[in-house]
Amino acid sequence: MAKNVVVLDYGSGNLRSAQRALERTGANVTVSSDFTTALEADGLLVPGVGAFEACMRGLKGVRGDVIIGRRLSGGRPVMGICVGMQILFERGVEHGVETAGCDEWPGTVEPLEAPVVPHMGWNTVDVPEGSRMFAGLDAETRFYFVHSYGVRNWELEITNDNIAAPLVSWTTHGHPFVAAVENGPLWATQFHPEKSGDAGAALLTNWVNTL
């Protein structure tokens, strides 16, 4: 049976390209800002393009932060893409302005340290063993990035042996930054799988298969 996926419409992100990419996995896809629809879907995709502060303002405008929190508290899958990943962290700092994020993970979204910014184009990803997100994809697989900010330090420490540590993937552009995270029902990518051709389609299929 096809899974029902909602692409959250909060005024930011490549909604239709994300919708089309998910439809190619065989999922039933709805673009919506409706609270109940987003809360009850099998999977919720949170896109994001632009400034951290503007995305957070739009997200709160549709109570998206509440939707994400409630879904995760019930173990219901959420996936963030690009700024949709960034807003899952504790804070973002742009042009000296600090904005609170959803605080699902500690850490700061800050300017990339690189000779050329934005980071735009194709890059490989250093993936840890046991990844379900990148299952079936080899180490030379490239994904499409376009961003000027990222998470350069992973700050979450797991002190309880009964809790599985998130799987964190990295990419280097000037300096290393977080490229993707798998944390139970919460997945996220800094790159754009919906713009990454067959590799992105395989990754989205891996996500839909977990729903």
Side-chain angles (χ1 to χ4, degrees), residues 21 24-25 137 143 193-194 196-207:
R24 285 195 290 271
T25 73
L137 298 168
F143 296 90
E194 80 282 9
S196 296
D198 291 343
L203 187 150
L204 289 173
T205 298
N206 287 342
W207 179 61

Side-chain angles (χ1 to χ4, degrees), residues 146-162:
V146 53
H147 61 119
S148 300
Y149 296 82
V151 177
R152 305 203 308 260
N153 298 291
W154 178 256
E155 299 180 12
L156 179 63
E157 295 183 5
I158 302 296
T159 58
N160 187 333
D161 291 339
N162 295 319

